Amino acid sequence: MFNLSRSQETIDLLLTRRSVKPFTMAAPGPDAGELETILRAGARVPDHGKLAPWRFILFRDGARASFGEVLRKRFAEVEPGANEDRLKIEAGRLMQAPVVVAVISRIVPSKKAPEWEQILSAGASCQNMLVAATALGFACSWLTEWYAYDAGIARSLGLAENERVAGFIYFGSPTLPKDERERPVLADICADWKPPV
Ligand SMILES: Cc1cc2nc3c(=O)[nH]c(=O)nc-3n(C[C@H](O)[C@H](O)[C@H](O)COP(=O)(O)O)c2cc1C
């Protein structure tokens, strides 16, 4: 018989994990080795048909400011009335966190795994990265905002027709104590199955 080890630490992490707003994050973010661990966790998710229906775009160092300029330019195009303060916010989006990873959902032609399952797998990838980063002591957040859904930004990211952004995952160090938010009451979302009458 295999003896799978129990880990109360993992359970505690899952039951207390919390997203952290990027504007409260500080340096340092994950270093190269830590980021590799996070990315490996992101690539180790349930994946029907072994399609790897996701890929990751990394924003580190100067790439965050460069992409910020892309966001600023595009925002000015789609919202011509935007004032300089707003454009500054867009330019600074990725500068809030030391490391940002865009998780790209990539639909692969498959008879086995429908598109829906491949998208779910990309969501699992985002969540695994959050869990891994939290276990390493980092603050993190899964955000989309307007730039996950904009065609011009998709072109700047080099996305193909079969690709879309599942999320931008921000990683940094926490500067505030962890807060809590209300969670769904289990009794409201769980029920034993009963045969239809
Ligand atoms: C696909 C997806 C996209 C999200 N996008 C945003 C977003 O753009 N802005 C935001 O404030 N929260 C967004 N969230 C919510 C946060 O990631 C986070 O779940 C929320 O703040 C609650 O915190 P918790 O994870 O600690 O429960 C998104 C969540 C998901 C699953």
Side-chain angles (χ1 to χ4, degrees), residues 123-168:
S125 183
C126 294
Q127 176 65 9
N128 254 22
M129 287 196 203
L130 296 182
V131 171
T134 304
L136 289 170
F138 292 104
C140 50
S141 206
W142 174 359
L143 303 183
T144 41
E145 304 291 354
W146 66 271
Y147 38 97
Y149 299 104
D150 181 84
I153 297 299
R155 278 192 295 279
S156 306
L157 289 168
L159 302 195
E161 276 296 305
N162 64 331
E163 295 183 319
R164 61 197 288 204
V165 174
F168 290 92

Side-chain angles (χ1 to χ4, degrees), residues 87-105:
L87 295 178
K88 245 189 201 157
I89 289 174
E90 298 308 332
R93 289 275 192 184
L94 272 57
M95 298 305 288
Q96 299 177 102
V99 175
V100 180
V101 173
V103 175
I104 308 303
S105 162

